[in-house]
Amino acid sequence: MRNIFFILFFIGFVSFAQEEEKEREQALDASKNLTYEGNKALSEDNFIDAEVDYRKAIAKSDENSAAPYNLANAYYNKETYSEAFGRYKQAGELATNKVDKHSAYHNMGNVFMKRKEYQKAVEAYKEALRNDPKDEETRYNLALAKKMLEKEQEQNDQNQDNKDDQDKNEDQKDENEDKKDGDNKEENQDQDKKDEGDKGDEGDKNEEQKDENKEGEGDEKEEQKKQPDQGEGDKPEEQQQQPRPNQLSKQQVQNLLEAMQNEEKKVQEKIDAQKVKGVKVKNEKDW
């Protein structure tokens, strides 16, 4: 009884597997037919219909690596490189042989070259060569990618050096401006101190001049006290004839002359035979 059950189960399993394999084959065939239709539309320069057919083919079967690969080529020719890369990557993952994998990775390298992503291009070409080491076109592209990568790195280094020099110049410029501002500030402070000093010297001179003026006024008052009282009629002449420094006033000279005349009368008899000596008028004040 158990043997009969096992036999029936086995028959059912085989039937199910056969049915599943049949469906898989039918899906693959449908996918290939759609791929063919997409190729035909693309050859007629009908990109929209070709894209639709390729997408349907990809959806029908995940064993048909030709559909994503051909769709990737269509995107590449349209310069839609991001979409092309995605489909090449899908084709490389679905590929079951090294020839198809090589083609997918080779074209992925081409996409990276178009996008100037040279480091990624180098890696893609290396992977392509792992699947087909004898492909000279891939080897040439790999050498070109390495050369472009080296050139890019040199350019980046040069740009970095230029940036460093520019930053250094900017720092030097800022330092010079700061130094200039500091020098100007110090110079202004020195000038302010100098102006304050000059102002102080001028103030001292003004104070000295004030002291001299006060001292001169005191001398005038002292001289006026020493002089005999004058009549009211003499005041206008006094006011007009103000004494000058280092010289006797007119009134002082007049007083001296009158005193001399009085003295001369007293000694007239004694000097009859003697010539009278003139009195020298001093040019300096007797303080």
Side-chain angles (χ1 to χ4, degrees):
M1 188 71 181
R2 293 179 58 187
N3 291 336
I4 296 174
F5 177 78
F6 177 77
I7 294 172
L8 292 175
F9 175 79
F10 179 76
I11 294 173
F13 176 79
V14 171
S15 299
F16 176 79
Q18 290 177 342
E19 185 68 24
E20 186 179 29
E21 178 66 19
K22 184 178 179 180
E23 291 179 356
R24 185 185 65 79
E25 290 179 354
Q26 290 176 348
L28 181 58
D29 289 340
S31 176
K32 289 180 178 180
N33 290 333
L34 288 169
T35 301
Y36 173 80
E37 293 296 329
N39 293 343
K40 182 178 179 182
L42 194 62
S43 65
E44 296 173 353
D45 199 21
N46 189 347
F47 174 80
I48 295 177
D49 288 348
E51 182 182 22
V52 171
D53 289 335
Y54 287 138
R55 286 180 177 274
K56 287 180 179 179
I58 294 170
K60 281 288 184 180
S61 174
D62 58 2
E63 296 181 47
N64 181 14
S65 62
Y69 181 83
N70 290 355
L71 179 57
N73 286 339
Y75 284 134
Y76 185 91
N77 292 331
K78 286 288 185 179
E79 298 183 355
T80 311
Y81 298 121
S82 296
E83 293 290 340
F85 169 76
R87 293 303 177 178
Y88 282 132
K89 186 173 184 293
Q90 185 179 19
E93 292 171 350
L94 293 178
T96 57
N97 58 75
K98 289 187 175 183
V99 174
D100 292 342
K101 284 184 178 294
H102 165 265
S103 297
Y105 281 105
H106 176 95
N107 287 350
M108 286 171 61
N110 292 347
V111 171
F112 288 130
M113 289 292 285
K114 288 290 186 180
R115 294 164 60 174
K116 297 182 179 181
E117 298 178 9
Y118 303 119
Q119 183 62 55
K120 293 181 179 180
V122 168
E123 298 303 324
Y125 289 134
K126 285 182 178 180
E127 186 63 27
L129 286 174
R130 291 187 184 99
N131 289 278
D132 187 1
K134 297 181 180 180
D135 191 280
E136 294 299 327
E137 184 178 356
T138 303
R139 193 174 300 278
Y140 173 84
N141 287 3
L142 175 60
L144 179 61
K146 288 181 177 180
K147 184 177 181 180
M148 296 302 295
L149 177 61
E150 181 179 355
K151 185 177 179 180
E152 181 184 57
Q153 291 173 344
E154 290 177 355
Q155 185 64 41
N156 291 337
D157 292 340
Q158 183 64 39
N159 292 338
Q160 184 62 42
D161 291 341
N162 293 338
K163 185 176 183 301
D164 292 340
D165 291 340
Q166 184 177 1
D167 293 341
K168 184 177 180 180
N169 292 335
E170 290 293 334
D171 293 340
Q172 185 64 38
K173 182 179 179 181
D174 294 339
E175 183 178 350
N176 291 338
E177 289 180 354
D178 293 340
K179 183 178 180 182
K180 183 178 179 181
D181 293 340
D183 293 341
N184 290 338
K185 183 178 180 180
E186 184 176 355
E187 183 178 351
N188 292 335
Q189 291 176 349
D190 292 340
Q191 185 63 37
D192 292 341
K193 291 180 180 179
K194 183 179 179 182
D195 293 341
E196 291 177 0
D198 293 341
K199 185 176 180 181
D201 293 341
E202 184 177 355
D204 293 341
K205 291 180 180 179
N206 291 336
E207 291 297 329
E208 291 177 0
Q209 186 64 38
K210 289 180 180 180
D211 293 340
E212 289 180 0
N213 293 338
K214 290 180 179 179
E215 188 175 353
E217 291 175 359
D219 293 339
E220 289 180 11
K221 292 180 180 181
E222 187 66 26
E223 288 295 333
Q224 290 176 359
K225 289 179 181 179
K226 291 180 180 180
Q227 294 176 5
D229 295 336
Q230 301 293 326
E232 292 293 334
D234 295 334
K235 287 183 179 180
E237 186 176 358
E238 255 183 49
Q239 293 174 356
Q240 293 174 3
Q241 300 292 334
Q242 293 294 331
R244 291 180 294 178
N246 301 329
Q247 186 175 355
L248 294 175
S249 66
K250 183 177 180 181
Q251 185 61 45
Q252 288 175 322
V253 175
Q254 183 65 33
N255 292 339
L256 288 174
L257 291 175
E258 290 179 358
M260 289 170 59
Q261 290 175 358
N262 292 332
E263 185 67 23
E264 186 178 353
K265 289 179 181 180
K266 293 179 181 180
V267 297
Q268 186 67 40
E269 291 83 3
K270 297 180 181 180
I271 59 174
D272 288 338
Q274 184 179 0
K275 185 177 180 180
V276 177
K277 294 181 180 181
V279 178
K280 183 179 180 181
V281 178
K282 294 181 180 180
N283 291 326
E284 297 180 356
K285 289 183 179 181
D286 292 330
W287 303 105

